[in-house]
Amino acid sequence: MTASIATTADSVPLPKPDGDFPTWLPPMLVKELRQGLRTRGFVIVFIVFQVLMALLLMGAIVGQDAALPGMRASISTTINGFFWTLLTVQLLIVTPARALGSLQLEMDSRAIDLLLLTRLSAWRIVVGKWGSLMGQALLLLVAMLPYGIVRYFSGSVDLVSDAQICLALLGGCAVLTAAGLWSSGMSKVLRVVFGFIGIVAFQAWRPMMVGLGVPGFGATSPVVGSDALMWAFDAALLLVFFLVAAVRRVAPLAENHAPLARALPLAALLSLPIWARNGWTNVLSVQAVFTGVFSALLCAVELSNTRLPMLVHVRPWQKRGTWGRFVGRFVLPGWPSALIFTALIGGLSALALQAAPGGSTSSLPGGSRLLACWIVTLVFGALVFPTLALALFPRTAARSATSLYTLTFGAMSIVALSAGVMAAAFPLRYAALVLYARVLPVSGLWLTVPKADDLSTKAVICQAVLLVITFAVVAWRTRDYWRHVLGLEARGALEKS
């Protein structure tokens, strides 16, 4: 009797709530949307921005009737500026700021462990949170569109241009939100440091392009039109990079996300021949600069990883034979594997500079390919030098490798800044200080790039000697890592036999 009742009860489907999310949506996205749409942050922003825009438009409509004809254009300009300011604040500030504490809240409450015990992978968790925030940002954008239509009737508004700007703002929101998810798992000190670096980089990006002579970044020639494909490609690379970095924060140690992360700078490098083949010289120059900065950032993140490989990381590459094991050396977790990957990226970057079209060398330091290749070598040395701290202080590196790497790199950068400021203030007294700081690995890069044409042969020799010594010491400290990898491969061979 009990069995029959249970069977009958199990066969009766449960009623679905009216107006619920579709069942085909990812469960993590549904969970985050249900929670996000009810939070105070979303509701308050939604209501406040609607009220502000409604009051502004009502005041503008009333003011236009009483205003002089010459004042109506000024009122229309004010409405446009206020409209785009609110959209920018919503998409580029509010939404990424909400992502800053998203993953950290799950990790502090130990809810992330419960999520990983289900069938949800780390990718589905992170992408679900990112998709939820983007859905809320899209809802905020759609809620503001009626005010854009009112602007169309109150003045001359280009709807196509407005649509392009909205798409650009959504793209920036997607990248910054992913960056917020990545930084949410960091300490507060690192958040402040990376936030400061991001602000400085954003402010210095356009002046740096103008100083390098990159076409399209002049005062009267903004980058528009055909360059949209390049910006979309670069934004996609940054988006995937930040999402992979965020997934690493919550993924189990058995998962290896290094192959996907390290494929990104290779994709950026392989895109350069495509731009060159199509004859887009201005796009090629900008893409080359972006590729260098992006590759350096990714290599720095990979070099600050102190994880040891596991058998599950080695086994897939071992099954592919000799070439598979060789390729696997470049994509294993840990900074020793990232070291040879960084050397590979540096070599490919130097080859790309040598094979660059003649018209694109105008943006290189001094217009010299050889000098540009040497600067690539200095960048490689600057990225490798902080790994000395990871190798010499393994216990500290095991607790906070990223902090130790960033602190070492920052300390050497401060040496370059201090030497440059002191030499500028007292040239006769501290001129020799700049010469000494110029040959050190990290400070030498910052002091060489602004005055690359003044680099002497003696300085190049000293820089080369220190780079060789640094790389030799770091390579020597990786021998235990590679012994561990060989032991894992031997275990995999025994299991296979």
Side-chain angles (χ1 to χ4, degrees):
M1 183 68 179
T2 305
S4 62
I5 294 175
T7 304
T8 305
D10 293 339
S11 62
V12 177
L14 296 176
K16 296 182 179 180
D18 295 334
D20 199 4
F21 287 102
T23 56
W24 49 266
L25 287 177
M28 191 65 191
L29 176 61
V30 173
K31 166 187 171 295
E32 291 297 322
L33 280 175
R34 283 173 174 167
Q35 295 178 352
L37 294 176
R38 298 175 182 175
T39 57
R40 294 182 179 179
F42 176 80
V43 175
I44 292 176
V45 169
F46 186 87
I47 295 176
V48 168
F49 284 5
Q50 292 288 322
V51 171
L52 287 176
M53 203 65 204
L55 292 176
L56 177 67
L57 286 179
M58 287 189 296
I61 293 173
V62 173
Q64 278 189 342
D65 295 335
L68 298 174
M71 295 293 295
R72 294 177 182 177
S74 177
I75 294 175
S76 178
T77 303
T78 303
I79 295 175
N80 290 335
F82 201 86
F83 175 78
W84 291 116
T85 300
L86 284 183
L87 280 185
T88 303
V89 171
Q90 286 179 5
L91 299 179
L92 300 186
I93 298 178
V94 175
T95 302
R98 294 181 62 199
L100 287 175
S102 183
L103 279 179
Q104 188 64 34
L105 181 63
E106 300 280 359
M107 297 171 67
D108 292 341
S109 62
R110 300 296 179 91
I112 196 70
D113 298 332
L114 298 177
L115 291 174
L116 291 175
L117 288 176
T118 64
R119 296 181 179 180
L120 295 176
S121 62
W123 265 107
R124 297 177 68 181
I125 293 173
V126 172
V127 174
K129 287 182 174 293
W130 175 80
S132 171
L133 291 170
M134 288 304 301
Q136 297 170 48
L138 183 61
L139 180 59
L140 291 172
L141 175 61
V142 172
M144 295 290 290
L145 290 182
Y147 303 106
I149 298 175
V150 174
R151 290 170 48 249
Y152 177 77
F153 291 105
S154 63
S156 57
V157 177
D158 188 354
L159 294 180
V160 176
S161 177
D162 287 356
Q164 293 176 350
I165 295 175
C166 289
L167 288 177
L169 289 176
L170 278 177
C173 178
V175 175
L176 292 177
T177 302
L181 289 175
W182 169 44
S183 61
S184 64
M186 297 180 180
S187 62
K188 293 182 179 180
V189 176
L190 285 180
R191 290 186 202 177
V192 173
V193 170
F194 283 112
F196 176 77
I197 293 174
I199 293 174
V200 172
F202 180 77
Q203 295 294 330
W205 174 256
R206 186 180 180 91
M208 181 179 66
M209 292 296 178
V210 175
L212 291 176
V214 177
F217 277 88
T220 59
S221 58
V223 177
V224 293
S226 60
D227 299 335
L229 181 61
M230 181 202 67
W231 294 114
F233 176 74
D234 294 343
L237 290 179
L238 288 173
L239 176 63
V240 176
F241 165 70
F242 288 130
L243 288 178
V244 172
V247 168
R248 283 179 167 177
R249 295 285 177 182
V250 299
L253 295 178
E255 296 184 11
N256 182 20
H257 301 281
L260 178 58
R262 298 178 190 180
L264 298 177
L266 294 177
L269 283 170
L270 292 177
S271 69
L272 296 178
I274 299 177
W275 311 125
R277 185 176 181 181
N278 288 275
W280 299 339
T281 307
N282 59 330
V283 175
L284 180 63
S285 302
V286 179
Q287 184 65 22
V289 175
F290 170 82
T291 300
V293 176
F294 177 70
S295 300
L297 173 64
L298 189 137
C299 290
V301 173
E302 294 295 308
L303 287 170
S304 61
N305 187 355
T306 57
R307 288 177 54 188
L308 284 176
M310 303 172 65
L311 183 59
V312 69
H313 303 150
V314 176
R315 188 184 292 118
W317 301 101
Q318 192 174 11
K319 293 179 180 178
R320 293 176 172 84
T322 304
W323 283 105
R325 291 195 299 270
F326 175 76
V327 174
R329 296 288 196 275
F330 293 89
V331 292
L332 291 176
W335 66 265
S337 175
L339 181 65
I340 60 174
F341 174 78
T342 304
L344 174 65
I345 292 297
L348 293 177
S349 301
L351 290 177
L353 287 174
Q354 292 295 327
S360 62
T361 58
S362 59
S363 60
L364 298 179
S368 171
R369 299 174 188 265
L370 184 60
L371 185 57
C373 291
W374 180 245
I375 291 179
V376 171
T377 306
L378 293 180
V379 173
F380 170 75
L383 294 173
V384 172
F385 180 78
T387 58
L388 275 175
L390 304 182
L392 298 177
F393 305 99
R395 294 184 179 180
T396 305
R399 295 192 300 268
S400 55
T402 304
S403 301
L404 184 58
Y405 185 94
T406 306
L407 181 62
T408 305
F409 191 90
M412 297 303 297
S413 300
I414 292 175
V415 169
L417 178 62
S418 302
V421 171
M422 294 172 67
F426 306 99
L428 298 179
R429 183 181 302 178
Y430 296 106
L433 182 62
V434 176
L435 298 178
Y436 292 128
R438 201 172 188 178
V439 300
L440 296 178
V442 179
S443 61
L445 172 66
W446 301 125
L447 295 175
T448 299
V449 171
K451 298 181 179 180
D453 296 333
D454 299 336
L455 191 63
S456 63
T457 305
K458 184 177 180 180
V460 171
I461 294 176
C462 294
Q463 290 175 344
V465 170
L466 287 179
L467 289 179
V468 170
I469 294 175
T470 300
F471 186 78
V473 174
V474 172
W476 175 256
R477 297 292 297 181
T478 62
R479 63 189 189 280
D480 294 335
Y481 176 91
W482 295 115
R483 289 173 185 171
H484 175 71
V485 172
L486 292 176
L488 294 177
E489 291 181 348
R491 287 179 55 189
L494 289 176
E495 292 180 358
K496 185 177 180 180
S497 62

